[in-house]
Amino acid sequence: MDFRRLRYLIRVGEERSFTRAARSLNVTQPTLSQQIQDLEAELGVALFTRTAHKVEPTEAGLLTIDCARRVMAETERLREAVLEYRGLKRGRLRIGVTQTFNALYLPRIVTDFARDYPAIDLEILELANDEIDAGVEAGTLHLGVGLPRAHTKSRAEPLYADTLMFVCARGHSLGEAESVPAARLSEESIALLGHGFRTRAAVDDYLAEADATPLRVIAFNTFAAILNVVASGDYVSIVPADVRHVSGLVSGVAALHFARLEPGPGSRTICLLSAPEDRATPAAIRFAARIRDYFAATGR
């Protein structure tokens, strides 16, 4: 099977348009259409339904696109592994991490690795926990750091424990409290991450168990946005404890007050997520070792 056709198939599936896909691939639309038709003939199924204004994958098309992504990822891993085994003269690492890990721990690790391996291109992506684990499992990410899914197929190595904490502005009525009863949250408006983040799911579970219903909930996709809103004094939040150590996320971070929740939420184990050993590239193995060494040295 022609890898070029698989690449074309994936792009049409992403763009939902032959015109946009052809433009991004730098080929003519007739050429692209013919390649997809040839692939459909080879497989004996229709991969897309076509109308005047839209292109949608069929069920067979969705299945084929998913398989094509895996084939292309495996091919890329093969190419990179061969190059890396020749002395790490070329290569690429895609790493998915949470916002707090990226802000607190990753800069030093990345800086040292980039200095020692200047020919390895690094791409760091801030993602939700489930996206990180799914990316490592599917092979679109070489490594990840976050909370593994319940039935993950990734290798998950514990790095450190974290828990959830209450945060408000220092001028808030709870701005000097050492601990905050969960029931008190029913009297507050709260800013949280959006649905789809594991932290949001943990907060929702905590509130449900405490039978606490906030007056209002607004959602953001970054802790920086949450802390800025909390600093204004009208909203409180529940965030990972590590967020309190992050400087630069919010102007006037000193104006924020962090407190324990009562009853205390259970701790969460942040893990290094990697592919099985037979799929790991040399660069990924070495970067993973740097992460382990960092936490071993800091005693975090």
Side-chain angles (χ1 to χ4, degrees):
M1 185 172 290
D2 190 335
F3 284 169
R4 178 182 55 177
R5 289 178 184 169
L6 297 184
R7 185 161 56 91
Y8 288 177
L9 168 73
I10 293 169
R11 189 58 56 85
V12 174
E14 291 172 344
E15 296 289 350
R16 296 295 201 271
S17 163
F18 280 92
T19 301
R20 290 195 298 272
R23 188 182 303 122
S24 67
L25 290 165
N26 198 28
V27 299
T28 65
Q29 183 173 335
T31 296
L32 177 61
S33 297
Q34 186 60 55
Q35 290 295 321
I36 297 299
Q37 290 173 16
D38 291 345
L39 182 57
E40 289 176 322
E42 181 179 352
L43 296 174
V45 293
L47 300 175
F48 296 98
T49 58
R50 303 159 173 85
T51 67
H53 303 290
K54 199 170 186 181
V55 174
E56 289 290 344
T58 62
E59 284 193 29
L62 290 172
L63 174 64
T64 306
I65 290 169
D66 181 62
C67 290
R69 286 196 176 106
R70 293 178 181 272
V71 169
M72 298 302 288
E74 290 293 340
T75 302
E76 178 67 10
R77 270 195 295 273
L78 171 62
R79 186 186 69 82
E80 290 180 355
V82 171
L83 291 172
E84 289 170 345
Y85 276 119
R86 291 167 56 186
L88 290 177
K89 294 181 179 178
R90 290 176 56 193
R92 180 174 62 93
L93 272 177
R94 298 183 82 241
I95 303 168
V97 297
T98 60
Q99 296 176 43
T100 49
F101 186 85
N102 193 24
L104 283 172
Y105 307 115
L106 199 59
R108 178 62 180 273
I109 300 172
V110 167
T111 300
D112 289 347
F113 186 89
R115 180 195 62 228
D116 295 340
Y117 300 100
I120 303 298
D121 294 331
L122 294 169
E123 183 178 3
I124 309 299
L125 304 173
E126 283 191 2
L127 301 169
N129 281 286
D130 285 357
E131 292 178 302
I132 296 170
D133 192 4
V136 172
E137 189 175 299
T140 57
L141 295 174
H142 296 96
L143 290 171
V145 175
L147 297 170
R149 295 171 298 174
H151 302 292
T152 182
K153 295 180 181 178
S154 305
R155 297 175 64 206
E157 303 173 54
L159 291 177
Y160 63 94
D162 194 19
T163 189
L164 297 174
M165 292 192 74
F166 172 86
V167 60
C168 65
R170 288 198 178 276
H172 190 275
S173 59
L174 295 170
E176 295 183 358
E178 292 186 5
S179 63
V180 175
R184 179 68 168 75
L185 297 171
S186 292
E187 304 173 26
E188 302 294 336
S189 295
I190 190 166
L192 299 173
L193 288 176
H195 294 291
F197 288 89
R198 291 283 291 281
T199 295
R200 173 61 183 272
V203 172
D204 286 346
D205 289 345
Y206 179 78
L207 293 174
E209 289 174 8
D211 196 24
T213 303
L215 297 176
R216 184 183 184 188
V217 176
I218 57 173
F220 299 90
N221 65 354
T222 68
F223 288 119
I226 290 172
L227 296 183
N228 273 294
V229 168
V230 170
S232 72
D234 294 328
Y235 288 82
V236 301
S237 187
I238 298 175
V239 297
D242 271 349
V243 169
R244 71 189 189 278
H245 300 304
V246 179
S247 62
L249 279 181
V250 57
S251 56
V253 68
L256 296 174
H257 173 70
F258 291 83
R260 299 188 312 276
L261 288 163
E262 296 292 346
S267 64
R268 310 183 304 167
T269 301
I270 309 302
C271 294
L272 170 63
L273 303 173
S274 57
E277 290 184 359
D278 60 348
R279 283 175 43 198
T281 66
I285 291 171
R286 297 187 194 188
F287 196 93
R290 293 296 180 95
I291 293 176
R292 295 188 198 97
D293 291 346
Y294 176 89
F295 284 95
T298 59
R300 175 65 174 83

